Amino acid sequence: MKKLTYKNVLVLLVLLCTLASNAQDTASPYHTDFWTDGAWLAGSLGVSAYGLVSVINKDDLTLQELQDLNEDDIIGIDRWAAGYRSESANRLSDIPFYTSFATPFLFLFNQQTRKDAGQLSVLFVETMATTSALFTVTAGLVQRSRPLVYDPTLEIGERLDNDNQRSFYSGHVAASAAATFFAAKVFSDYFPDSKAKPFVWAGAALTPAVVGYFRIESGNHFLTDVLLGYGLGAAAGILVPELHKKKDNNLKVSAGINFEGQQTFLISYDF
């Protein structure tokens, strides 16, 4: 079964990179490369796998560590959330969370972006794989109890459970921000003069913020967990497409020496 799983992942990577390499339409603002993007995807997924193992093998909180927990030891910006717990807020956070993943698929409804679906798929997977790698490694290595662990009415087994010792940082918010900011960035690169850009960016910013609000209300994360997840997710969503943008080949810079032996520096632009 493991061999089959690894084979499926490898086939998926090859398929995605092949689609990307065949999607070099001049109208696309992005450039992708089979080997470079393949290495990026493989590396990100590999780090994510390592991080996931670290998360699964994370130690439970001991009774002594639970007794030593003190709200006064929490920094002021986070202390107010200690003890928060709401199952309804936890369920509500899933609505904007899963909705955010649908935003990049809206490009399938536009002819100009639909023809680059293969290339955009690679960029989106890279964005989410990068976000996942950062989150899983951090969640696996950093020990921080969730706010709900500070609720004395919560069943002791849940307070000690290792899943509740990875508050830092919010993976839900990071993934949501990565997806929505990726969509806003791609929209801006394809349609730089669109009057809808302010609304697209506003929607991209609001969706993960709503996810973060409910993650705090549910007792899963402190404010700083949400803020860091938001920042890292948004950065991945913006930077991955930006790093793949085509350079302006019309702008040329050259240096040399003229007939008098003087150094020259020439900048030219072909219209």
Side-chain angles (χ1 to χ4, degrees), residues 49-61 136 139-141 143 161-163 165-166:
Y50 165 78
L52 182 59
V53 171
S54 300
V55 169
I56 294 174
N57 294 328
K58 200 177 183 74
D59 292 332
D60 290 344
L61 200 67
T136 54
L141 297 178
Q143 184 84 1
D161 187 71
N162 67 349
D163 183 64
Q165 314 315 318
R166 51 184 185 91

Side-chain angles (χ1 to χ4, degrees), residues 88-184:
S88 60
N90 186 47
R91 290 193 300 268
L92 285 172
S93 70
D94 287 338
I95 298 175
F97 174 65
Y98 288 114
T99 299
S100 65
F101 295 125
T103 54
F105 291 94
L106 295 177
F107 293 117
L108 293 174
F109 294 96
N110 180 273
Q111 183 177 0
Q112 185 174 346
T113 52
R114 184 170 59 245
K115 61 181 174 53
D116 296 328
Q119 188 180 56
L120 294 179
S121 296
V122 171
L123 298 187
F124 182 56
V125 173
E126 282 184 12
T127 298
M128 303 312 296
T130 301
T131 304
S132 174
L134 291 172
F135 164 69
T136 54
V137 170
T138 304
L141 297 178
V142 178
Q143 184 84 1
R144 190 186 198 190
S145 297
R146 298 184 189 274
L148 56 82
V149 174
Y150 291 84
D151 179 5
T153 66
L154 182 64
E155 196 270 328
I156 190 70
E158 292 191 48
R159 298 180 74 188
L160 299 176
D161 187 71
N162 67 349
D163 183 64
N164 288 326
Q165 314 315 318
R166 51 184 185 91
S167 179
F168 188 83
Y169 52 89
S170 177
H172 276 67
V173 174
S176 178
T180 58
F181 277 85
F182 171 86

Side-chain angles (χ1 to χ4, degrees), residues 127 131 173-182 185 201 204-205 208 227-241:
T127 298
T131 304
V173 174
S176 178
T180 58
F181 277 85
F182 171 86
K185 170 62 174 169
W201 282 102
L227 293 177
L228 182 60
Y230 192 106
L232 292 177
I238 294 173
L239 289 177
V240 171

